[in-house]
Amino acid sequence: MRAAAAALLMTVAVAACAENQSPGESGGDGAPSVAVTFGVGVDPAYSPIYLADQEKLFQQAGLDVTVTQYQEGTGGLDAILAKQGQVTASTESSLLNRATRGDIRGLAVFSQSPSFIKLVARSGITDVAGIKKYGVVPGTVNEYATNKVLDSRNISRDSVEFVNASPAEMPALLQRGDVDGYIMWEPWPSRGVGNGGKILLTSGEIGYVYNLVIGVDGAWYEANQETAKKVVATIGQACEQLTADPAKAGTVTEAAIKVPAAEAQTLLEGVQCQVRDFTDEDIQRYDEIAQFQQDSGIVTQKADAATVMVRGVA
């Protein structure tokens, strides 16, 4: 009887502990809390995630994270919408766009720069007015930045042509003359310069400082908030390492996407890698981006930036 009573007490105790855990969270035995698929793009701006993956920072934090690369940062967002991923990194513009299609939320900014996104024009074009055909990746920050370029020069969208293509196709399209220019994140502007193009301006010159944001599946986040916070904190540690030793960004980028380390490090000059919470100014700017997306017909309804971006996580 005493043995049976002890067994019953043990069962009750285990059940009580289980009830206090969020779905998917760790039982506190040191095992990874939940399997996480983290989608990223293929450019040097994702270097802190590359570093966290390669140097096992996720594992050291007790996380079971698989980093999956997509040709565009929107790939990770689309994976979340398809319930094939939980966490991603993308520009604020892309996240707001996809948030109109499903429950996607932003948790923190981890990278920003006024110079990482550049406008490159084909050989022979020396001014924005000479660009008649723009390369566009629909639904990305490239589309938003293209509009900022046009607005900065009082050029109507109806007076130019938009050629849809992937980022990797842009340098070849520029060289062939299929597009006159495109405003894109590195390394694609530099690739365009390698094909005879010329940098005309940076995003900062047209009033846009891009943000890269850690995004999550909203329902997954509600069930796994502690795991999500650990992921954000781990990216913060990776940024601290890269700030202390910028050469690491080149090394991990070369290992991840085969961009030469020296080139990657050069491309990241002027990029601030730091995990931080959203500010009032951020939310106001994101709201302007969301309004542009609706006004331009990119989305049918405007994302609510104040709801999509979760404050207080970082």
Side-chain angles (χ1 to χ4, degrees):
M1 284 290 291
R2 283 197 294 269
L8 178 60
L9 288 172
M10 181 64 73
T11 301
V12 172
V14 170
C17 288
E19 288 177 359
N20 288 329
Q21 295 174 21
S22 298
E25 295 293 356
S26 170
D29 58 359
S33 56
V34 62
V36 177
T37 298
F38 195 143
V40 298
V42 287
D43 68 62
Y46 297 99
S47 56
I49 295 96
Y50 300 153
L51 184 147
D53 183 37
Q54 293 171 27
E55 301 204 355
K56 303 187 184 305
L57 299 188
F58 292 123
Q59 185 177 328
Q60 292 169 22
L63 297 165
D64 179 11
V65 174
T66 299
V67 174
T68 302
Q69 294 178 7
Y70 298 93
Q71 188 176 48
E72 301 167 22
T74 52
L77 293 165
D78 290 337
I80 288 176
L81 291 175
K83 298 301 179 183
Q84 299 298 313
Q86 297 78 39
V87 183
T88 191
S90 68
T91 62
E92 76 282 54
S93 177
S94 295
L95 191 147
L96 289 165
N97 177 306
R98 294 309 196 270
T100 65
R101 308 181 196 178
D103 188 5
I104 295 178
R105 305 181 204 175
L107 299 187
V109 174
F110 73 90
S111 178
Q112 60 185 33
S113 172
S115 59
F116 191 71
I117 294 176
K118 305 177 180 72
L119 174 65
V120 59
R122 65 177 173 82
S123 177
I125 295 178
T126 59
D127 185 79
V128 172
I131 302 177
K132 302 303 180 182
K133 294 184 292 185
Y134 280 87
V136 173
V137 185
T140 69
V141 68
N142 151 267
E143 189 168 18
Y144 172 71
T146 300
N147 188 73
K148 293 284 287 184
V149 170
L150 297 175
D151 283 350
S152 72
R153 299 298 191 273
N154 294 316
I155 299 171
S156 167
R157 287 172 60 88
D158 294 333
S159 68
V160 297
E161 180 183 348
F162 301 106
V163 179
N164 294 345
S166 71
E169 294 174 298
M170 294 297 180
L173 294 176
L174 190 79
Q175 186 176 41
R176 293 200 304 263
D178 294 337
V179 301
D180 296 326
Y182 56 87
I183 182 165
M184 194 77 64
W185 50 90
E186 289 289 7
W188 309 118
S190 293
R191 294 285 190 270
V193 171
N195 282 357
K198 178 182 179 181
I199 301 295
L200 297 187
L201 55 80
T202 67
S203 69
E205 294 175 68
I206 53 172
Y208 175 56
V209 176
Y210 91 93
N211 286 175
L212 280 182
V213 175
I214 299 169
V216 292
D217 178 296
W220 177 87
Y221 171 70
E222 291 299 333
N224 299 278
Q225 292 189 26
E226 290 306 313
T227 294
K229 289 178 181 178
K230 285 183 181 180
V231 170
V232 171
T234 301
I235 300 306
Q237 294 172 14
C239 277
E240 290 174 1
Q241 289 192 23
L242 294 180
T243 299
D245 184 4
K248 270 191 174 183
T251 303
V252 298
T253 298
E254 182 172 26
I257 61 173
K258 312 308 178 189
V259 172
E263 179 185 353
Q265 187 177 349
T266 298
L267 295 177
L268 286 169
E269 291 178 358
V271 174
Q272 181 184 24
C273 185
Q274 178 185 14
V275 168
R276 64 171 178 81
D277 200 0
F278 303 108
T279 66
D280 291 342
E281 290 75 17
D282 291 331
I283 301 301
Q284 181 179 355
R285 186 170 65 256
Y286 300 166
D287 188 67
E288 292 173 0
I289 294 173
Q291 188 65 59
F292 156 75
Q293 291 175 345
Q294 183 183 44
D295 293 345
S296 302
I298 297 170
V299 300
T300 57
Q301 68 179 85
K302 173 186 169 185
D304 182 356
T307 299
V308 171
M309 305 302 177
V310 182
R311 302 177 75 167
V313 176

